[in-house]
Amino acid sequence: MKGARLEFGSPISDAVSRIRFAPRTNNLLISSWDSCLRLYDVEGSALRLEAPSQAALLNCCFQGESVAFSAGSDCAIRRHDMHSGTQEIMGHHDDIATCVEHSDESSILITTGLDKMIIFWDPRLKRALVSKSLQVEVESISLAGFELMLAMGSSAYLYDLRNLDGPLQSKESKVDARIRCISSASSCSGFAVGSVDGRVAVEVSASSTSKNTAYTFRCHPRAKNGNHHLVSVNDIVFNPCVLGAFVTGDNEGYVAAWDFQNRRRLFELPRFPNGVASMSYNKNGDLLAIAASYSYQEADELVEPPQIFVYNMDEDWFGSASTGRRKNDHISRDRKSSVRPFNAIKYNYKKKKSRQHSEGILLYGRPICDPTVVTFEGQFLGNPRLPLSSSICLSFQIQSLCLSPSVSLSVAGQLEAMSDEEHHFESKADAGASKTYPQQAGTIRKNGYIVIKNRPCKVVEVSTSKTGKHGHAKCHFVAIDIFNGKKLEDIVPSSHNCDVPHVTRTDYQLIDISEDGFVSLLTENGNTKDDLRLPTDENLLSQIKDGFGDGKDLVVTVMSSMGEEQICALKDIGPK
């Protein structure tokens, strides 16, 4: 696999928001916060178009080869002619426009914005066909045929473009944190979502007759201390020509390829200088473009100049992910005869007095496509004899390989570390839920939730100051503790992440009230819950006591968050 950085005469001066390959050629469309839409010819290694706009561009897409659309921070949806370089405004959202997609099958343009609206446009008539108001902002959208996938909060939704008046269909995403990206599988039916806490949820069916494959996993395995590596998954793209293969990119600059059917990682690229903001496959799936750019998500983000890399995805790396076939499959079937070692050594690294034999490792090394990767194949010479095969990605190019006892011992340690790095793929039943999830401060609105001083709070007022000399606007939050009602305040840069609590509400039927102030509640499965006290709010307390004293059937609502529970509401369902 060979990667190359795209060279621009004038460097991209601000964050890259989206990159897209054209539907039939290897032209790459690039939108960025520096208000420019660029068209780059990857095959010719030349910038074909640079079209400045009046506002930062947050998203872009193609309509055929000659027309593109962009979503701007000035709420405008722009149409760009790629031949002449001209542009025109098609329409506006009431707030910042964030997502744009064009459906070739239905000839409809879909846009979303911070105004919690999804608008369907007719690009030929340059007017809106249907507008739908949503409950929350759309974080990401993805198209596959007539099916539009939307990510909102921690949920995924499906919309059929053949019925614009139809409802949104809720899809289980199996993640409880905010979804950062969603991607439809083009080569099969299904989708994948990436969350801000580093998890990926996959639900894919390889064929119309096969059973759905659904599970979640974290892109990074657990650290040695048992903690999870919580880094936002910024983008997911499915390979259009390799069944079962998709790639994830996170906010720390790591890109990894996965086989969804066999639930394994195929490879990981060397870390990029910035976080991965966007990725795109060309139509044949043999070129992968990666935008390494800061994305204003974290306070301590790497702020190296944005760069775009293109990797040639040859069959040595992908093959058919679902079956495990490779271009050089004959090597693994006849390892001893086909592998040509450029050095091999047998050595003793441990001798036990109680045994008459010595243990060691016999290694064969051969370089493959990437000069930073070496594959070792051989066997462990012990009792029993164990096969050994692995690939190691290095941070330097391999000029030569000469195995000595000390070097071999070091390599063996790396091989052991690679084999111990396991990714835990989990179903919904065993997926653990965290108490909070990160969310960018600038996206938290009034009546939303936030953690202030380790307390779950509801936001009652939020104001944003202008950008200061240090480049960060500040968000001033005034919030009320959802359990004790205390007023708390916090000031956070708008580009920084805040902790947001998971808040749930559950209804229970009230069975009894004890003398010491505890209540007995009936759960859905017929058991009783006896660990809650009566609420401290005097009005709600009197309503519960009076209704229970009058013999009414009462249903109480219990609010739960961050390990605390409290009765927060009362429903009167009539006399007993």
Side-chain angles (χ1 to χ4, degrees):
M1 183 192 309
K2 296 182 179 179
R5 185 181 65 186
L6 302 188
E7 298 295 337
F8 296 86
S10 299
I12 302 174
S13 59
D14 208 341
V16 173
S17 57
R18 193 67 190 264
I19 56 175
R20 300 280 189 104
F21 267 112
R24 294 186 298 276
T25 65
N26 289 333
N27 290 333
L28 188 67
L29 189 66
I30 307 163
S31 62
S32 64
W33 286 72
D34 65 1
S35 305
C36 277
L37 187 72
R38 295 172 174 86
L39 184 68
Y40 195 94
D41 181 356
V42 174
E43 289 182 353
S45 300
L47 182 66
R48 299 301 183 193
L49 177 69
E50 188 172 52
S53 298
Q54 301 300 315
L57 302 181
L58 278 63
N59 215 310
C60 63
C61 71
F62 274 104
Q63 179 190 3
E65 295 287 328
S66 59
V67 175
F69 296 95
S70 64
S73 61
D74 58 351
C75 315
I77 305 300
R78 291 178 171 84
R79 181 185 184 275
H80 303 261
D81 189 311
M82 296 287 98
H83 292 319
S84 64
T86 59
Q87 60 182 271
E88 58 182 333
I89 295 178
M90 274 191 45
H92 291 83
H93 278 262
D94 293 333
D95 205 336
I96 295 174
T98 55
C99 300
V100 59
E101 287 277 4
H102 182 267
S103 169
D104 294 331
E105 287 78 7
S106 59
S107 298
I108 292 176
L109 183 71
I110 305 102
T111 64
T112 64
L114 297 185
D115 55 358
K116 302 178 184 177
M117 296 290 293
I118 178 171
I119 303 178
F120 301 93
W121 308 80
D122 186 336
R124 296 162 296 185
L125 301 178
K126 301 173 185 177
R127 66 179 181 87
L129 299 174
V130 176
S131 300
K132 287 184 175 290
S133 179
L134 306 172
Q135 298 296 320
V136 295
E137 299 162 3
V138 175
E139 184 71 32
S140 176
I141 63 177
S142 181
L143 266 174
F146 291 101
E147 292 186 347
L148 172 68
M149 297 297 303
L150 301 95
M152 295 185 288
S154 60
S155 302
Y157 296 88
L158 173 65
Y159 192 83
D160 191 341
L161 295 182
R162 292 166 292 191
N163 181 17
L164 295 182
D165 294 325
L168 289 173
Q169 303 175 38
S170 178
K171 305 286 287 186
E172 281 191 297
S173 66
K174 294 183 171 61
V175 295
D176 50 16
R178 181 170 64 93
I179 295 174
R180 181 73 176 88
C181 61
I182 190 167
S183 180
S184 302
S186 55
S187 59
C188 49
S189 176
F191 67 97
V193 300
S195 70
V196 295
D197 67 351
R199 276 187 292 173
V200 174
V202 183
E203 183 175 330
V204 179
S205 176
S207 66
S208 58
T209 58
S210 63
K211 191 176 181 180
N212 278 8
T213 301
Y215 55 85
T216 65
F217 68 94
R218 293 187 182 273
C219 289
H220 292 273
R222 288 179 185 265
K224 291 183 178 179
N225 58 9
N227 295 329
H228 284 298
H229 193 65
L230 303 180
V231 178
S232 174
V233 180
N234 290 342
D235 203 5
I236 299 174
V237 288
F238 282 85
N239 190 301
C241 298
V242 179
L243 179 64
F246 63 92
V247 177
T248 60
D250 69 21
N251 207 47
E252 284 194 349
Y254 290 101
V255 172
W258 308 86
D259 176 356
F260 81 77
Q261 285 189 320
N262 294 318
R263 304 190 185 192
R264 64 188 179 96
R265 190 179 72 179
L266 298 172
F267 63 84
E268 184 176 80
L269 295 177
R271 186 179 182 181
F272 289 91
N274 275 319
V276 176
S278 181
M279 300 183 295
S280 180
Y281 273 114
N282 68 342
K283 65 182 179 66
N284 295 324
D286 56 356
L287 292 180
L288 174 65
I290 301 168
S293 170
Y294 49 92
S295 56
Y296 299 112
Q297 290 190 64
E298 303 286 349
D300 55 352
E301 271 188 303
L302 296 173
V303 289
E304 297 295 325
Q307 300 177 68
I308 297 175
F309 299 85
V310 175
Y311 278 78
N312 193 335
M313 313 298 288
D314 50 56
E315 294 182 11
D316 286 294
W317 285 88
F318 260 121
S320 175
S322 59
T323 60
R325 290 195 299 271
R326 292 287 192 273
K327 183 178 179 182
N328 296 325
D329 239 4
H330 62 280
I331 292 179
S332 60
R333 289 195 296 267
D334 189 11
R335 179 177 298 163
K336 291 184 179 179
S337 60
S338 61
V339 175
R340 179 183 179 186
F342 40 89
N343 202 351
I345 188 167
K346 176 181 176 181
Y347 65 96
N348 299 337
Y349 76 96
K350 183 188 292 186
K351 260 188 179 178
K352 294 186 178 180
K353 294 181 179 179
S354 60
R355 296 187 180 182
Q356 298 299 317
H357 70 276
S358 61
E359 297 176 342
I361 291 180
L362 181 64
L363 289 175
Y364 301 93
R366 62 182 179 89
I368 53 178
C369 316
D370 194 329
T372 63
V373 179
V374 63
T375 296
F376 291 97
E377 300 186 6
Q379 60 181 186
F380 177 79
L381 301 180
N383 189 12
R385 291 174 177 264
L386 299 175
L388 181 66
S389 179
S390 186
S391 297
I392 299 178
C393 294
L394 305 174
S395 60
F396 53 87
Q397 290 196 355
I398 301 164
Q399 303 296 335
S400 62
L401 180 65
C402 181
L403 302 182
S404 65
S406 59
V407 172
S408 298
L409 190 58
S410 172
V411 170
Q414 292 184 51
L415 290 172
E416 184 179 357
M418 285 277 298
S419 63
D420 287 343
E421 186 185 85
E422 296 181 354
H423 297 267
H424 180 54
F425 295 86
E426 54 190 20
S427 64
K428 186 178 180 182
D430 58 19
S434 58
K435 295 179 181 179
T436 64
Y437 62 92
Q439 182 172 340
Q440 192 172 352
T443 65
I444 299 177
R445 301 288 187 260
K446 184 179 178 180
N447 295 324
Y449 294 102
I450 190 173
V451 175
I452 300 179
K453 297 180 180 179
N454 294 320
R455 297 295 303 168
C457 303
K458 185 172 185 178
V459 178
V460 295
E461 184 180 340
V462 58
S463 58
T464 305
S465 65
K466 294 182 179 180
T467 303
K469 64 180 181 179
H470 297 295
H472 290 291
K474 299 292 181 63
C475 295
H476 179 204
F477 295 102
V478 179
I480 302 297
D481 190 308
I482 62 175
F483 291 118
N484 58 34
K486 291 183 179 180
K487 180 180 177 182
L488 297 171
E489 297 186 43
D490 198 7
I491 298 177
V492 184
S494 61
S495 60
H496 290 202
N497 274 355
C498 297
D499 286 333
V500 176
H502 291 290
V503 180
T504 60
R505 288 176 171 82
T506 309
D507 289 342
Y508 300 97
Q509 185 173 352
L510 179 64
I511 300 176
D512 193 16
I513 300 176
S514 66
E515 294 181 356
D516 55 358
F518 281 89
V519 295
S520 182
L521 307 176
L522 182 66
T523 64
E524 287 186 351
N525 57 13
N527 297 325
T528 59
K529 179 177 176 64
D530 306 299
D531 57 348
L532 282 179
R533 287 184 176 272
L534 286 166
T536 56
D537 181 82
E538 293 184 1
N539 186 28
L540 181 59
L541 177 62
S542 61
Q543 290 181 30
I544 293 174
K545 286 186 174 181
D546 293 345
F548 186 77
D550 294 340
K552 295 181 178 181
D553 273 342
L554 302 179
V555 172
V556 296
T557 300
V558 176
M559 179 168 56
S560 304
S561 181
M562 296 181 68
E564 293 186 48
E565 291 181 312
Q566 182 176 287
I567 296 175
C568 63
L570 173 67
K571 297 177 183 178
D572 183 354
I573 60 175
K576 288 185 178 179

